[in-house]
Every structure is written in structure tokens, then in C-alpha cells.
Amino acid sequence: MKPGSILYSVSVRTSRLLLRFLMAVGYFRFPRTVRLESTDICNANCKTCTRELMTRSMGTMDMELFKKLTDECATYGVRSLHLHNFGEPLIDKSIFEKIAYATSKGIETRFFSNLSLLTEEKAEKLVKSGISRIKVSVDGNSAETFEKIRSGLKFDVVMNNIELLLKTRKKLGSRSPEVGLIYVETPENEHETKDFINKWQGRVDSIDISSYHNWAGGLGTEGVASDKRRFPCLRVWQTFTVLWNGEVSLCCMDYDGKVTLGNVRDNTIKEIFSGEKMRRIREVHLTGDFKKIPLCSNCFARR
């Protein structure tokens, strides 16, 4: 559907009415997807990321806070926790303890990783930890392309570590974690996409070829002025992103925590998710008045 067309306009109105109805009957009582940023420290500086633009402090979520949040998620039946946001989870020395704690509460865990820090010991710990899914960011099928996009990383190291994780899973006779590869297609790597798929198809559990987006305007706002998209973004009804220090950002696109909804050290997830700040943000999405929230107005991740 083309933004501005009659069909698009009807679809937007229908989605707004449906969301209002679901809100009225209490469908969105707790987020479906909870992201707990284990750390925002990273050993890479990728072109498709916003690390150079980040000004917020660096650190790692402490276990006491992690346990508190995981306990609340377990109470409300959250099935899976995402232990990543802006950072490399394997930098977090307590990541295995966090995975084990969530698993003990009946919650699956997953994270995105560049996998450059994997060792034989860490590979065994990951497989034995109970983590359900690991997605590895790659973005290139040759050393030249990969290292141009994923600055600070070595292509051969990451390729060898993917193989190591797969071999360790097989050696231990485990079906988990599922191992998927993420390839953000850009003009710099699109010539390698087909070979990348051919190389890994059937060897890993999933391959995601995703399009490049602008991180809510962080990597450019070209085309925003003429933007006619008006669909509400479901992220503000279904997801909840906690930064390592307990602050709650608007969504996973808010890389610098520019729109803070509260702090889970002071309030519960449910209180913040159902609070007045979130109510006002949802109303903006239901009316399509995105200019009131520049982060949303500039975001190409919404439709």
C-alpha cells in the first residue's frame, strides 16, 4: 500500500479503531516483548549503528535489578526476554548468570551479538545456559566488505566463532540455542547478499536480510519532510525497553534514551507501561500527529 492512497488511508483508520478497542478491553496490560539491556558497552563501531552518536553513560545492568525485572515478567507471563539493546552482551560478565536466572523462572532468553568475543569456554557456557536464540550480526561475505562496515571486528574471527558455536551445540547434543544470522543490506554489501545466503543456508537456523533504517533520525532524516506514513507503531503498545541503569526509553530505536518514560528502580514495569507518559505517546500515534514526538516523526522503522 502506498502512503496517501485510499486503501492506505482506510487501513490506517481501521488500525486506529482496532487499537482503541483493544485498549478499552484491557488487552495491553503488560508488554509482550521486554528488552533488558545487559550492557551498552560494545567493542565495535558499525556503520549501521549509532555508537558514535551516543552520549549516555556506559555500564552493565546489576543482577539485583535484573532479578527484580525478571520476577515481574514471570508474574505476568512474559515468555521471552531480549538481553540486548545497544551493546555486546558477551562483554557482560554476568550474562550467563542472567540467562540461568531467567531460565529458572521459565522465561526464554535471546540476544544479538557480533560474536567476536566467543571462546570455547563461553561457547560451552552458552549452550549449557539454556539461552534459546542467538542472532549474529554479519553484514558482509568478505573480509573487505565486512571490516569496512563493522569497524573494530575481524571477519575471520567472527566466521570461525559462528562455526565454533554450531560445533559446540552439536558436540553437546543440544538443539539450543537457535543460531541465526543478521545481514543489514546496504549499497556497500548488496553485491554479496546472494553469496552470503548460499554460503550459510542450511547451516544455520535462520538468515535475516534486513533493510537499512535511520535509527529514528540518528543516521539521517532525508525524506522526512515529505513523509506521508500515518500507521500507529505497535512498539508503543507491545514492547518495553529498559536501559542498563534502569531508565526506560521510548523503544529500541531510542539509542540515546532521549525520551525517558521512567525508571524501574522507582516504579514497576506495569506502572510505567500503563502510565500517563505512555498514554500520551499512544494518543499521538492514534491521531498521527507524529511531529509532537520528533523521535517518532523521524523514524523510518514505523510504516
Side-chain angles (χ1 to χ4, degrees):
M1 291 181 292
K2 185 177 180 181
S5 68
I6 294 176
L7 180 59
Y8 182 88
S9 298
V10 170
S11 298
V12 168
R13 286 198 294 271
T14 301
S15 68
R16 290 174 180 174
L17 288 171
L18 178 59
L19 284 168
R20 286 194 184 279
F21 170 75
L22 292 174
M23 288 170 65
V25 299
Y27 182 77
F28 301 110
R29 59 195 290 263
F30 203 81
R32 291 181 60 186
T33 300
V34 177
R35 181 175 285 100
L36 303 182
E37 184 179 68
S38 55
T39 183
D40 64 346
I41 303 169
C42 191
N43 60 328
N45 188 21
C46 306
K47 287 187 176 181
T48 51
C49 190
T50 54
R51 293 216 61 83
E52 287 188 342
L53 303 174
M54 286 174 60
T55 60
R56 60 186 175 98
S57 60
M58 302 290 173
T60 299
M61 183 176 290
D62 64 75
M63 274 304 298
E64 182 180 357
L65 178 59
F66 180 83
K67 288 181 177 180
K68 172 193 171 186
L69 299 175
T70 301
D71 289 347
E72 185 180 0
C73 288
T75 298
Y76 286 96
V78 172
R79 295 181 179 179
S80 178
L81 288 176
H82 295 211
L83 305 186
H84 63 269
N85 190 40
F86 283 91
E88 170 49 51
L90 290 178
I91 286 177
D92 178 7
K93 294 180 180 179
S94 61
I95 192 65
F96 304 106
E97 184 181 359
K98 287 170 179 170
I99 295 168
Y101 187 79
T103 301
S104 74
K105 296 294 180 177
I107 302 177
E108 293 184 346
T109 53
R110 60 183 68 184
F111 63 60
F112 283 30
S113 172
N114 61 45
L115 218 63
S116 64
L117 301 177
L118 193 71
T119 62
E120 289 187 12
E121 180 185 5
K122 288 179 180 178
E124 289 208 8
K125 281 186 175 181
L126 279 176
V127 174
K128 292 177 179 178
S129 70
I131 188 168
S132 60
R133 184 176 302 172
I134 297 173
K135 291 207 171 185
V136 186
S137 300
V138 182
D139 301 345
N141 198 49
S142 67
E144 180 182 5
T145 300
F146 176 95
E147 291 171 15
K148 185 185 297 181
I149 296 172
R150 304 190 66 76
S151 178
L153 305 179
K154 291 298 182 182
F155 178 75
D156 289 342
V157 170
V158 174
M159 295 302 105
N160 289 337
N161 285 347
I162 295 172
E163 298 281 6
L164 172 61
L165 183 57
L166 294 171
K167 288 177 181 177
T168 303
R169 185 179 68 175
K170 183 177 181 180
K171 180 181 74 173
L172 296 176
S174 177
R175 293 185 177 181
S176 62
E178 292 182 11
V179 179
L181 304 184
I182 300 287
Y183 189 101
V184 179
E185 196 170 52
T186 69
E188 289 181 287
N189 66 11
E190 60 185 2
H191 64 287
E192 295 185 353
T193 304
K194 185 176 180 180
D195 288 341
F196 174 80
I197 295 172
N198 290 337
K199 176 180 179 179
W200 290 104
Q201 201 160 41
R203 301 176 62 198
V204 293
D205 299 298
S206 65
I207 299 173
D208 295 330
I209 308 298
S210 63
S211 57
Y212 179 75
H213 64 77
N214 69 344
W215 289 111
L219 296 181
T221 57
E222 184 179 353
V224 168
S226 58
D227 187 12
K228 294 182 179 180
R229 295 168 305 139
R230 290 294 177 268
F231 266 105
C233 180
L234 292 181
R235 285 182 178 87
V236 299
W237 279 274
Q238 295 186 333
T239 72
F240 195 84
T241 301
V242 184
L243 306 183
W244 70 270
N245 60 359
E247 291 184 350
V248 179
S249 61
L250 176 56
C251 74
C252 59
M253 297 295 154
D254 187 3
Y255 61 90
D256 217 19
K258 294 179 180 178
V259 180
T260 303
L261 307 175
N263 194 304
V264 288
R265 296 185 187 276
D266 305 317
N267 298 97
T268 65
I269 293 175
K270 188 173 182 0
E271 287 170 344
I272 296 172
F273 188 69
S274 305
E276 180 61 20
K277 285 187 178 181
M278 279 303 300
R279 189 199 67 78
R280 291 199 301 266
I281 288 168
R282 289 173 184 142
E283 189 60 29
V284 165
H285 279 255
L286 288 170
T287 58
D289 194 10
F290 295 110
K291 64 180 180 294
K292 289 184 177 179
I293 311 174
L295 202 72
C296 298
S297 177
N298 294 331
C299 185
F300 286 169
R302 65 179 178 82
R303 292 186 297 164

